[in-house]
Structure formats: C-alpha cells, structure tokens
Amino acid sequence: NGNAGATSSVVLKGASAAGFIEGNIRFHADPRSIAVNNPSVSTTNINLITLRSRLVYGGRNNRAEVALVAIGIASASAKTAIISLCKDADIAGDVVYEYVDEDNSLIEVAYDSGEVTGGSLVASYVIPGGGGLQIDLAQLAPLLEPGETYTLSAELTAAPAALVAVDVTWKELL
C-alpha cells in the first residue's frame, strides 16, 4: 500500500482524452472477388461458397473488418433457384478452408457442398429459371469480424440438379 502510515488521502489527478470517428466507414482497399460454379445444386440447400475472416493474419491477431460489397448469381436451371446469404451457418460434413491469398488477404474460403443449416439469415434471393441477379450489398452493409463466416447457399424448387454460379466481392480494412 503506497499510502501506508499517511495521515491524509492520496489525490490522483490526470487529464482526460477521447477520440471519435464520425461519419460512414470507408474501405479504401482494392476490392477482391471470387467466383464458383456448382453443377450439382438440387432441392437441398447446399453451400456454394463460405467466406471466413481469419483470426490470425501476418502472425498477429486479426482486428480488421471485411465488408461484403456485391454478389452475383446465375442459374442454368429451368426451375426457380433460392439463394441464401447466412452469417455463421452450419455446413454438414468436413469443411475445408483455403486461403484466398495467404500473405495479402484476411479471407479464407470453403467450397464444400454440404447441407447448410442454422446461422442467421441475412438475405434471400429468388432467381427465376435461367435467370441471374447482380446485388449491391451497400444497403445491408454486412461486415465480417475475425472468426465469423458468411455463406452463400443454393437450392432449386424442383429436380433435376443444375448449375448455379455465384461471385462475391469484398473489401478488407487493412
């Protein structure tokens, strides 16, 4: 005790400081994109692509955010396709992640076609037979924190299986 034996209280004084950022967050990094074609989409909701923000980047704990910017979707099926964007979904089976760029990107991707369940549904898109969409995600502003995942999954309203293609564009706040 630094005040032992003293007859008066110790008074501690100091200055206060605060820092604030106002306005919209802007990601100045170049966008990155990845695309996948899955020819076996059927009536079960399966993973097309899952993005995961790395916990460790460059030998340090990752504290940066990743902003999803846009997604593109196309279906070769004559049937309606339902595409879902889920945060932290569960994918059946062993999910294997690979680096987009081990030295220069925060993102890892998984293409495993396991059934997708759970998670938080962020958005869902209905694609008419043989159709496609390009979606600007600015209004949703989904941010990926370290360790979190976003999954794009697809299912058709009826058989047979068909090709569904998606691409995802994002920016990393490095």
Side-chain angles (χ1 to χ4, degrees):
N1 185 348
N3 198 26
T7 57
S8 61
S9 298
V10 173
V11 178
L12 186 60
K13 295 182 180 181
S16 296
F20 302 93
I21 298 175
E22 294 185 19
N24 294 331
I25 297 173
R26 295 180 189 232
F27 292 82
H28 297 289
D30 291 334
R32 291 180 171 267
S33 185
I34 198 156
V36 64
N37 297 322
N38 189 321
S40 59
V41 175
S42 190
T43 56
T44 300
N45 187 31
I46 63 167
N47 176 51
L48 295 175
I49 188 168
T50 295
L51 280 70
R52 178 173 70 181
S53 181
R54 294 164 53 180
L55 290 171
V56 176
Y57 173 71
R60 296 186 178 158
N61 288 337
N62 174 21
R63 303 268 187 244
E65 295 176 326
V66 176
L68 299 186
V69 176
I71 57 176
I73 308 162
S75 173
S77 174
K79 306 297 182 189
T80 299
I82 301 168
I83 310 298
S84 299
L85 176 63
C86 289
K87 184 175 182 178
D88 295 327
D90 296 317
I91 301 169
D94 293 329
V95 180
V96 178
Y97 287 93
E98 56 189 65
Y99 296 114
V100 170
D101 180 337
E102 186 173 1
D103 297 325
N104 299 304
S105 178
L106 300 172
I107 293 295
E108 299 169 310
V109 295
Y111 303 104
D112 306 275
S113 295
E115 183 176 2
V116 175
T117 57
S120 300
L121 181 64
V122 175
S124 187
Y125 306 98
V126 176
I127 312 295
L133 284 176
Q134 186 65 35
I135 301 156
D136 180 0
L137 295 174
Q139 294 298 318
L140 289 175
L143 291 177
L144 205 57
E145 300 284 341
E148 293 180 337
T149 63
Y150 272 107
T151 298
L152 273 168
S153 61
E155 64 183 295
L156 301 178
T157 56
L163 181 127
V164 174
V166 295
D167 64 77
V168 183
T169 303
W170 69 89
K171 288 187 176 183
E172 301 175 7
L173 182 59
L174 290 175

